Amino acid sequence: VLDSQYGMYVWPCAVVLAQYLWAHRRSLPGKRVLEIGAGVSLPGVVAAKCGAQVILSDSEELPQCLQRCRSSCLMNRLPHVPVLGLTWGRLSPELLSLAPIDIILGSDVFFDPKDFEDILTTIYFLLEKNPQAQFWTTYQVRSADWSIEALLYKWNLKSIHIPLHSFGADKEHLASSSLPGRHTIEMMIISLAQSEGT
C-alpha cells in the first residue's frame, strides 16, 4: 500500500539525516549538495536552510515526487532550489551535466534490494566526477541479511558507520514512527575507495 506513495512521507531516516546535517550545520555554508530520492526533501531543505547550495532530485518517472520536492521548497521559502528528475542507474543529460558537488544525501534510498546496484552505480558515477565528495545516507534495518558490502566492493566504494549517539540521534522520540514494523535506523558515509598504489 505504501509503495506507490513512498516519496510522500517524512520517514524516520529523513529525520535522522536532517539531525546529522543540523549537527554539522557550521560546515554546510557554500557546500554543493545533491539529495537523491528526495521525496519530501527534509534533509535537503535543512541543508539549504543551513547555507548549502542544494539540488533536489527524485526519479524522472515519479512526477508526484518531483512535485513534492518543489512544494517542500516553496513551503520553506526556498523557491530557487532546483529540482531534477534523476533515475538511479540511468545516465541522463541531467546527470551528465550536473555541476560539481561536495555531498550527496540519501535517506532511506536502500529500501528495495532490486534498486541497490542502480543506486550505487549512480553514486559511483557522481563520486568519480567528484572524487572528494561523500554520500551521506541513513537507512532502516529491515532484514538481518541486508547488506551492500559486496556491491560496495564491486563499485570500488567504502563505507564508514556513523553512530547515532555521536550526533544526538539515538533518542527514541527522534525517529519514532507510527508505521508498523521495526524502525532501527543506521547511518553511513560512502566514498571512493583508494585504488591500489595511491
Side-chain angles (χ1 to χ4, degrees):
V1 173
L2 296 173
D3 215 19
S4 64
Q5 299 296 314
Y6 191 75
M8 304 301 193
Y9 295 91
V10 176
W11 293 83
C13 286
V15 177
V16 171
L17 188 53
Q19 175 78 7
Y20 187 79
L21 288 156
W22 182 248
H24 292 85
R25 62 191 173 276
R26 287 179 187 83
S27 68
L28 292 175
K31 288 281 197 285
R32 298 158 304 185
V33 174
L34 169 69
E35 184 175 3
I36 64 166
V40 295
S41 316
L42 177 62
V45 164
V46 169
K49 289 286 191 178
C50 291
Q53 300 168 28
V54 174
I55 298 171
L56 300 175
S57 73
D58 213 312
S59 173
E60 59 195 329
E61 298 167 359
L62 298 172
Q64 74 275 23
C65 288
L66 294 170
Q67 188 52 48
R68 179 63 52 214
C69 292
R70 291 182 192 98
S71 297
S72 291
C73 289
L74 291 175
M75 285 188 283
N76 287 283
R77 296 187 185 98
L78 298 167
H80 303 297
V81 171
V83 175
L84 299 178
L86 296 179
T87 302
W88 303 326
R90 182 180 301 161
L91 283 178
S92 64
E94 291 79 11
L95 183 65
L96 293 169
S97 63
L98 267 178
I101 51 176
D102 301 303
I103 301 166
I104 306 159
L105 302 175
S107 67
D108 216 3
V109 295
F110 293 109
F111 172 74
D112 189 340
K114 74 174 175 47
D115 295 328
F116 290 3
E117 187 149 26
D118 285 343
I119 294 164
L120 289 176
T121 301
T122 300
I123 295 303
Y124 176 78
F125 175 82
L126 291 168
L127 293 177
E128 274 283 298
K129 278 182 66 174
N130 304 276
Q132 302 308 311
Q134 296 179 328
F135 176 37
W136 297 359
T137 185
T138 50
Y139 58 94
Q140 185 174 321
V141 180
R142 292 183 169 87
S143 169
D145 57 356
W146 184 98
S147 177
I148 60 168
E149 289 303 315
L151 288 172
L152 290 174
Y153 180 79
K154 176 180 178 179
W155 287 102
N156 195 36
L157 299 169
K158 65 180 179 182
S159 69
I160 300 168
H161 180 262
I162 307 296
L164 299 193
H165 68 82
S166 71
F167 58 99
D170 57 340
K171 313 294 185 275
E172 175 102 13
H173 69 278
L174 182 70
S176 61
S177 172
S178 59
L179 296 168
R182 197 167 158 243
H183 297 282
T184 301
I185 309 297
E186 299 286 341
M187 178 168 178
M188 64 181 157
I189 293 178
I190 295 175
S191 58
L192 285 178
Q194 294 295 331
S195 51
E196 306 247 345
T198 59

